[in-house]
Amino acid sequence: MNNFPNISFKITEGSKSTGFDFIRVAEIFERIKKDPNHNPHQPHRISFFALLLVTEGEGEHQVDLKNYKIKKGSVLKIAKGQVNAFKDHTTYDGYLVIFTEDFVLKYFSKSSIEFISHLYNYHISDPLVENSSLNNFFLERITEEINSKNTYAQNEIVAKILELFLLKLERETYNSPLKTFNKKHQTLFIDFKNLVEENYTKTRNVKDYAESLNISTKHLNTIVRAITLNTAKHFIDNYVILEIKRVIFSSTISLKEVSYQNGFDEVTNFTKFFKKHTGLSPKEFKSTL
């Protein structure tokens, strides 16, 4: 389950943002010719967030090994870490909006992130929105801003257009029923997620969380893997990285204080942990902001 190729964020030539891109679906398939090592028709795990907006035609797209029928007016939400694939013989067109976690953390308000459930709670929400009334307005505004010759605060404006679209999309689909896993697994997963959020500074040990839930580590891993296609340890570590990034983005405290605040007794261990999961040391990451 973990052998899917990992696709990192790459901006298109001429893009003015380092964490946001806006690509015509037809252009994606043109990229295959330039990068034969990545076939988007094969399942692959993305390291960014994506929205597939269909403007005409119909087809299918696979998310976490499940096929979704899409057509004009559809929005397919694909979160960081999810596995997806473009299906063959598609007859639709539209846009793929992609943006990084760093872009979200830097430009979105924290309250908005908590409302936009699919960003970090995609495991328990349906990725497909059908017949969205918001697509045309969003596409018009985002295209207008991207093509604007006045680039003052452009990243901030693009982010707010996207943030507003996601919030309105969330409201439009708020009452949609969940179509995912059995209720017992959903409940245990949500309990696990809540425990991680409450206790990640105290423990990153899967066994501790399993004991708190009165289940075995094997059973916990089975539940988490069924819902996220990854292990419980992977989920915990990803959450810790997210919280570390949030602190670095939103405060001016030293990296030493960041490490202690996130449950690390030694700065050396904090640095090794962060670099292992991001490819950058905390200092290098902070210098990119």
Side-chain angles (χ1 to χ4, degrees), residues 133-156:
S133 62
L134 306 168
N135 292 9
N136 289 341
F137 180 81
F138 169 71
L139 291 171
E140 288 170 6
R141 297 288 80 75
I142 208 75
T143 302
E144 178 183 53
E145 182 56 39
I146 289 172
N147 293 331
S148 174
K149 293 181 180 178
N150 185 348
T151 59
Y152 180 77
Q154 189 169 61
N155 279 343
E156 286 78 2

PDB file of all heavy atoms in Angstrom, residues 133-156:
ATOM      1  N   SER A 133     -22.193  25.384  -7.617  1.00  0.00           N
ATOM      2  CA  SER A 133     -22.588  26.681  -8.182  1.00  0.00           C
ATOM      3  C   SER A 133     -21.470  27.706  -8.065  1.00  0.00           C
ATOM      4  O   SER A 133     -21.631  28.858  -8.486  1.00  0.00           O
ATOM      5  CB  SER A 133     -23.830  27.201  -7.437  1.00  0.00           C
ATOM      6  OG  SER A 133     -23.518  27.404  -6.057  1.00  0.00           O
ATOM      7  N   LEU A 134     -20.323  27.281  -7.531  1.00  0.00           N
ATOM      8  CA  LEU A 134     -19.253  28.229  -7.211  1.00  0.00           C
ATOM      9  C   LEU A 134     -18.125  28.250  -8.245  1.00  0.00           C
ATOM     10  O   LEU A 134     -17.306  29.166  -8.242  1.00  0.00           O
ATOM     11  CB  LEU A 134     -18.653  27.863  -5.847  1.00  0.00           C
ATOM     12  CG  LEU A 134     -19.630  27.739  -4.682  1.00  0.00           C
ATOM     13  CD1 LEU A 134     -18.939  27.103  -3.487  1.00  0.00           C
ATOM     14  CD2 LEU A 134     -20.181  29.105  -4.310  1.00  0.00           C
ATOM     15  N   ASN A 135     -18.075  27.237  -9.098  1.00  0.00           N
ATOM     16  CA  ASN A 135     -16.906  27.056  -9.961  1.00  0.00           C
ATOM     17  C   ASN A 135     -16.621  28.233 -10.875  1.00  0.00           C
ATOM     18  O   ASN A 135     -15.480  28.706 -10.967  1.00  0.00           O
ATOM     19  CB  ASN A 135     -17.056  25.781 -10.805  1.00  0.00           C
ATOM     20  CG  ASN A 135     -16.994  24.526  -9.949  1.00  0.00           C
ATOM     21  OD1 ASN A 135     -17.004  24.600  -8.735  1.00  0.00           O
ATOM     22  ND2 ASN A 135     -16.932  23.379 -10.591  1.00  0.00           N
ATOM     23  N   ASN A 136     -17.649  28.696 -11.585  1.00  0.00           N
ATOM     24  CA  ASN A 136     -17.431  29.755 -12.570  1.00  0.00           C
ATOM     25  C   ASN A 136     -16.920  31.036 -11.918  1.00  0.00           C
ATOM     26  O   ASN A 136     -15.991  31.683 -12.429  1.00  0.00           O
ATOM     27  CB  ASN A 136     -18.718  30.040 -13.348  1.00  0.00           C
ATOM     28  CG  ASN A 136     -19.075  28.918 -14.303  1.00  0.00           C
ATOM     29  OD1 ASN A 136     -18.223  28.098 -14.660  1.00  0.00           O
ATOM     30  ND2 ASN A 136     -20.325  28.860 -14.725  1.00  0.00           N
ATOM     31  N   PHE A 137     -17.519  31.393 -10.788  1.00  0.00           N
ATOM     32  CA  PHE A 137     -17.101  32.614 -10.095  1.00  0.00           C
ATOM     33  C   PHE A 137     -15.645  32.493  -9.656  1.00  0.00           C
ATOM     34  O   PHE A 137     -14.844  33.423  -9.840  1.00  0.00           O
ATOM     35  CB  PHE A 137     -17.997  32.866  -8.886  1.00  0.00           C
ATOM     36  CG  PHE A 137     -17.633  34.101  -8.103  1.00  0.00           C
ATOM     37  CD1 PHE A 137     -18.052  35.357  -8.525  1.00  0.00           C
ATOM     38  CD2 PHE A 137     -16.851  34.014  -6.955  1.00  0.00           C
ATOM     39  CE1 PHE A 137     -17.703  36.506  -7.821  1.00  0.00           C
ATOM     40  CE2 PHE A 137     -16.499  35.154  -6.249  1.00  0.00           C
ATOM     41  CZ  PHE A 137     -16.927  36.394  -6.682  1.00  0.00           C
ATOM     42  N   PHE A 138     -15.293  31.333  -9.086  1.00  0.00           N
ATOM     43  CA  PHE A 138     -13.912  31.118  -8.635  1.00  0.00           C
ATOM     44  C   PHE A 138     -12.934  31.183  -9.804  1.00  0.00           C
ATOM     45  O   PHE A 138     -11.893  31.861  -9.718  1.00  0.00           O
ATOM     46  CB  PHE A 138     -13.790  29.765  -7.942  1.00  0.00           C
ATOM     47  CG  PHE A 138     -12.370  29.345  -7.678  1.00  0.00           C
ATOM     48  CD1 PHE A 138     -11.605  29.978  -6.712  1.00  0.00           C
ATOM     49  CD2 PHE A 138     -11.784  28.330  -8.425  1.00  0.00           C
ATOM     50  CE1 PHE A 138     -10.285  29.603  -6.474  1.00  0.00           C
ATOM     51  CE2 PHE A 138     -10.471  27.948  -8.200  1.00  0.00           C
ATOM     52  CZ  PHE A 138      -9.718  28.586  -7.229  1.00  0.00           C
ATOM     53  N   LEU A 139     -13.245  30.500 -10.891  1.00  0.00           N
ATOM     54  CA  LEU A 139     -12.344  30.475 -12.040  1.00  0.00           C
ATOM     55  C   LEU A 139     -12.155  31.855 -12.642  1.00  0.00           C
ATOM     56  O   LEU A 139     -11.049  32.230 -13.045  1.00  0.00           O
ATOM     57  CB  LEU A 139     -12.865  29.498 -13.101  1.00  0.00           C
ATOM     58  CG  LEU A 139     -12.798  28.012 -12.719  1.00  0.00           C
ATOM     59  CD1 LEU A 139     -13.530  27.162 -13.752  1.00  0.00           C
ATOM     60  CD2 LEU A 139     -11.349  27.549 -12.587  1.00  0.00           C
ATOM     61  N   GLU A 140     -13.237  32.628 -12.695  1.00  0.00           N
ATOM     62  CA  GLU A 140     -13.137  33.993 -13.222  1.00  0.00           C
ATOM     63  C   GLU A 140     -12.237  34.859 -12.343  1.00  0.00           C
ATOM     64  O   GLU A 140     -11.365  35.584 -12.846  1.00  0.00           O
ATOM     65  CB  GLU A 140     -14.537  34.618 -13.313  1.00  0.00           C
ATOM     66  CG  GLU A 140     -15.388  34.035 -14.438  1.00  0.00           C
ATOM     67  CD  GLU A 140     -16.835  34.509 -14.346  1.00  0.00           C
ATOM     68  OE1 GLU A 140     -17.127  35.366 -13.474  1.00  0.00           O
ATOM     69  OE2 GLU A 140     -17.668  34.022 -15.130  1.00  0.00           O
ATOM     70  N   ARG A 141     -12.440  34.793 -11.033  1.00  0.00           N
ATOM     71  CA  ARG A 141     -11.663  35.633 -10.107  1.00  0.00           C
ATOM     72  C   ARG A 141     -10.192  35.220 -10.079  1.00  0.00           C
ATOM     73  O   ARG A 141      -9.311  36.063 -10.073  1.00  0.00           O
ATOM     74  CB  ARG A 141     -12.248  35.531  -8.682  1.00  0.00           C
ATOM     75  CG  ARG A 141     -13.667  36.033  -8.519  1.00  0.00           C
ATOM     76  CD  ARG A 141     -13.795  37.548  -8.587  1.00  0.00           C
ATOM     77  NE  ARG A 141     -13.781  38.052  -9.953  1.00  0.00           N
ATOM     78  CZ  ARG A 141     -14.816  37.951 -10.787  1.00  0.00           C
ATOM     79  NH1 ARG A 141     -15.935  37.357 -10.411  1.00  0.00           N
ATOM     80  NH2 ARG A 141     -14.739  38.448 -12.006  1.00  0.00           N
ATOM     81  N   ILE A 142      -9.937  33.917 -10.047  1.00  0.00           N
ATOM     82  CA  ILE A 142      -8.553  33.459  -9.927  1.00  0.00           C
ATOM     83  C   ILE A 142      -7.799  33.733 -11.219  1.00  0.00           C
ATOM     84  O   ILE A 142      -6.622  34.120 -11.205  1.00  0.00           O
ATOM     85  CB  ILE A 142      -8.492  31.964  -9.529  1.00  0.00           C
ATOM     86  CG1 ILE A 142      -7.197  31.680  -8.756  1.00  0.00           C
ATOM     87  CG2 ILE A 142      -8.596  31.038 -10.713  1.00  0.00           C
ATOM     88  CD1 ILE A 142      -7.172  32.154  -7.357  1.00  0.00           C
ATOM     89  N   THR A 143      -8.454  33.570 -12.360  1.00  0.00           N
ATOM     90  CA  THR A 143      -7.820  33.859 -13.651  1.00  0.00           C
ATOM     91  C   THR A 143      -7.510  35.341 -13.775  1.00  0.00           C
ATOM     92  O   THR A 143      -6.423  35.738 -14.234  1.00  0.00           O
ATOM     93  CB  THR A 143      -8.734  33.422 -14.816  1.00  0.00           C
ATOM     94  OG1 THR A 143      -9.015  32.023 -14.693  1.00  0.00           O
ATOM     95  CG2 THR A 143      -8.057  33.675 -16.158  1.00  0.00           C
ATOM     96  N   GLU A 144      -8.464  36.161 -13.365  1.00  0.00           N
ATOM     97  CA  GLU A 144      -8.279  37.615 -13.413  1.00  0.00           C
ATOM     98  C   GLU A 144      -7.074  38.040 -12.575  1.00  0.00           C
ATOM     99  O   GLU A 144      -6.252  38.850 -13.010  1.00  0.00           O
ATOM    100  CB  GLU A 144      -9.555  38.291 -12.900  1.00  0.00           C
ATOM    101  CG  GLU A 144      -9.484  39.802 -12.849  1.00  0.00           C
ATOM    102  CD  GLU A 144     -10.754  40.402 -12.268  1.00  0.00           C
ATOM    103  OE1 GLU A 144     -11.160  39.978 -11.159  1.00  0.00           O
ATOM    104  OE2 GLU A 144     -11.343  41.284 -12.906  1.00  0.00           O
ATOM    105  N   GLU A 145      -6.939  37.465 -11.388  1.00  0.00           N
ATOM    106  CA  GLU A 145      -5.849  37.852 -10.502  1.00  0.00           C
ATOM    107  C   GLU A 145      -4.502  37.337 -11.009  1.00  0.00           C
ATOM    108  O   GLU A 145      -3.505  38.056 -10.988  1.00  0.00           O
ATOM    109  CB  GLU A 145      -6.104  37.339  -9.081  1.00  0.00           C
ATOM    110  CG  GLU A 145      -5.047  37.744  -8.072  1.00  0.00           C
ATOM    111  CD  GLU A 145      -4.845  39.251  -8.009  1.00  0.00           C
ATOM    112  OE1 GLU A 145      -5.845  40.006  -8.091  1.00  0.00           O
ATOM    113  OE2 GLU A 145      -3.678  39.688  -7.884  1.00  0.00           O
ATOM    114  N   ILE A 146      -4.468  36.108 -11.474  1.00  0.00           N
ATOM    115  CA  ILE A 146      -3.220  35.539 -11.969  1.00  0.00           C
ATOM    116  C   ILE A 146      -2.704  36.299 -13.182  1.00  0.00           C
ATOM    117  O   ILE A 146      -1.494  36.474 -13.363  1.00  0.00           O
ATOM    118  CB  ILE A 146      -3.407  34.034 -12.300  1.00  0.00           C
ATOM    119  CG1 ILE A 146      -3.551  33.234 -11.001  1.00  0.00           C
ATOM    120  CG2 ILE A 146      -2.236  33.490 -13.110  1.00  0.00           C
ATOM    121  CD1 ILE A 146      -3.935  31.790 -11.205  1.00  0.00           C
ATOM    122  N   ASN A 147      -3.618  36.773 -14.008  1.00  0.00           N
ATOM    123  CA  ASN A 147      -3.233  37.499 -15.231  1.00  0.00           C
ATOM    124  C   ASN A 147      -3.037  38.996 -15.007  1.00  0.00           C
ATOM    125  O   ASN A 147      -2.678  39.722 -15.940  1.00  0.00           O
ATOM    126  CB  ASN A 147      -4.289  37.286 -16.321  1.00  0.00           C
ATOM    127  CG  ASN A 147      -4.337  35.850 -16.800  1.00  0.00           C
ATOM    128  OD1 ASN A 147      -3.327  35.145 -16.758  1.00  0.00           O
ATOM    129  ND2 ASN A 147      -5.498  35.395 -17.254  1.00  0.00           N
ATOM    130  N   SER A 148      -3.271  39.450 -13.795  1.00  0.00           N
ATOM    131  CA  SER A 148      -3.144  40.876 -13.504  1.00  0.00           C
ATOM    132  C   SER A 148      -1.686  41.331 -13.625  1.00  0.00           C
ATOM    133  O   SER A 148      -0.766  40.649 -13.172  1.00  0.00           O
ATOM    134  CB  SER A 148      -3.666  41.167 -12.102  1.00  0.00           C
ATOM    135  OG  SER A 148      -3.423  42.510 -11.748  1.00  0.00           O
ATOM    136  N   LYS A 149      -1.481  42.474 -14.215  1.00  0.00           N
ATOM    137  CA  LYS A 149      -0.133  43.038 -14.316  1.00  0.00           C
ATOM    138  C   LYS A 149       0.307  43.669 -12.996  1.00  0.00           C
ATOM    139  O   LYS A 149       1.496  43.852 -12.757  1.00  0.00           O
ATOM    140  CB  LYS A 149      -0.106  44.091 -15.434  1.00  0.00           C
ATOM    141  CG  LYS A 149      -0.298  43.495 -16.828  1.00  0.00           C
ATOM    142  CD  LYS A 149      -0.244  44.565 -17.901  1.00  0.00           C
ATOM    143  CE  LYS A 149      -0.429  43.948 -19.291  1.00  0.00           C
ATOM    144  NZ  LYS A 149      -0.418  44.970 -20.360  1.00  0.00           N
ATOM    145  N   ASN A 150      -0.671  44.005 -12.168  1.00  0.00           N
ATOM    146  CA  ASN A 150      -0.365  44.549 -10.845  1.00  0.00           C
ATOM    147  C   ASN A 150      -0.184  43.375  -9.892  1.00  0.00           C
ATOM    148  O   ASN A 150      -1.147  42.740  -9.474  1.00  0.00           O
ATOM    149  CB  ASN A 150      -1.508  45.445 -10.373  1.00  0.00           C
ATOM    150  CG  ASN A 150      -1.180  46.137  -9.053  1.00  0.00           C
ATOM    151  OD1 ASN A 150      -0.210  45.792  -8.378  1.00  0.00           O
ATOM    152  ND2 ASN A 150      -1.993  47.122  -8.694  1.00  0.00           N
ATOM    153  N   THR A 151       1.044  43.075  -9.536  1.00  0.00           N
ATOM    154  CA  THR A 151       1.333  41.893  -8.719  1.00  0.00           C
ATOM    155  C   THR A 151       1.483  42.214  -7.228  1.00  0.00           C
ATOM    156  O   THR A 151       1.905  41.360  -6.458  1.00  0.00           O
ATOM    157  CB  THR A 151       2.627  41.210  -9.219  1.00  0.00           C
ATOM    158  OG1 THR A 151       3.709  42.148  -9.134  1.00  0.00           O
ATOM    159  CG2 THR A 151       2.465  40.729 -10.645  1.00  0.00           C
ATOM    160  N   TYR A 152       1.121  43.422  -6.837  1.00  0.00           N
ATOM    161  CA  TYR A 152       1.228  43.793  -5.423  1.00  0.00           C
ATOM    162  C   TYR A 152       0.331  42.879  -4.585  1.00  0.00           C
ATOM    163  O   TYR A 152      -0.862  42.732  -4.858  1.00  0.00           O
ATOM    164  CB  TYR A 152       0.816  45.253  -5.220  1.00  0.00           C
ATOM    165  CG  TYR A 152       0.897  45.703  -3.781  1.00  0.00           C
ATOM    166  CD1 TYR A 152       2.119  46.007  -3.203  1.00  0.00           C
ATOM    167  CD2 TYR A 152      -0.253  45.805  -3.003  1.00  0.00           C
ATOM    168  CE1 TYR A 152       2.210  46.414  -1.876  1.00  0.00           C
ATOM    169  CE2 TYR A 152      -0.180  46.215  -1.678  1.00  0.00           C
ATOM    170  CZ  TYR A 152       1.059  46.517  -1.132  1.00  0.00           C
ATOM    171  OH  TYR A 152       1.146  46.909   0.186  1.00  0.00           O
ATOM    172  N   ALA A 153       0.895  42.229  -3.571  1.00  0.00           N
ATOM    173  CA  ALA A 153       0.173  41.325  -2.657  1.00  0.00           C
ATOM    174  C   ALA A 153      -0.561  40.213  -3.406  1.00  0.00           C
ATOM    175  O   ALA A 153      -1.593  39.726  -2.937  1.00  0.00           O
ATOM    176  CB  ALA A 153      -0.813  42.116  -1.801  1.00  0.00           C
ATOM    177  N   GLN A 154      -0.016  39.793  -4.532  1.00  0.00           N
ATOM    178  CA  GLN A 154      -0.737  38.820  -5.356  1.00  0.00           C
ATOM    179  C   GLN A 154      -0.908  37.463  -4.665  1.00  0.00           C
ATOM    180  O   GLN A 154      -1.986  36.869  -4.724  1.00  0.00           O
ATOM    181  CB  GLN A 154      -0.045  38.633  -6.707  1.00  0.00           C
ATOM    182  CG  GLN A 154      -0.879  37.794  -7.679  1.00  0.00           C
ATOM    183  CD  GLN A 154      -0.337  37.836  -9.092  1.00  0.00           C
ATOM    184  OE1 GLN A 154       0.789  37.415  -9.322  1.00  0.00           O
ATOM    185  NE2 GLN A 154      -1.128  38.331 -10.032  1.00  0.00           N
ATOM    186  N   ASN A 155       0.142  36.974  -4.017  1.00  0.00           N
ATOM    187  CA  ASN A 155      -0.001  35.705  -3.300  1.00  0.00           C
ATOM    188  C   ASN A 155      -1.104  35.779  -2.251  1.00  0.00           C
ATOM    189  O   ASN A 155      -1.894  34.845  -2.095  1.00  0.00           O
ATOM    190  CB  ASN A 155       1.318  35.314  -2.629  1.00  0.00           C
ATOM    191  CG  ASN A 155       2.295  34.667  -3.590  1.00  0.00           C
ATOM    192  OD1 ASN A 155       1.917  34.224  -4.670  1.00  0.00           O
ATOM    193  ND2 ASN A 155       3.554  34.617  -3.200  1.00  0.00           N
ATOM    194  N   GLU A 156      -1.143  36.884  -1.529  1.00  0.00           N
ATOM    195  CA  GLU A 156      -2.155  37.055  -0.490  1.00  0.00           C
ATOM    196  C   GLU A 156      -3.561  37.078  -1.090  1.00  0.00           C
ATOM    197  O   GLU A 156      -4.490  36.462  -0.549  1.00  0.00           O
ATOM    198  CB  GLU A 156      -1.901  38.358   0.280  1.00  0.00           C
ATOM    199  CG  GLU A 156      -0.729  38.312   1.235  1.00  0.00           C
ATOM    200  CD  GLU A 156       0.645  38.445   0.566  1.00  0.00           C
ATOM    201  OE1 GLU A 156       0.681  38.617  -0.670  1.00  0.00           O
ATOM    202  OE2 GLU A 156       1.657  38.369   1.277  1.00  0.00           O
TER     203      GLU A 156
END
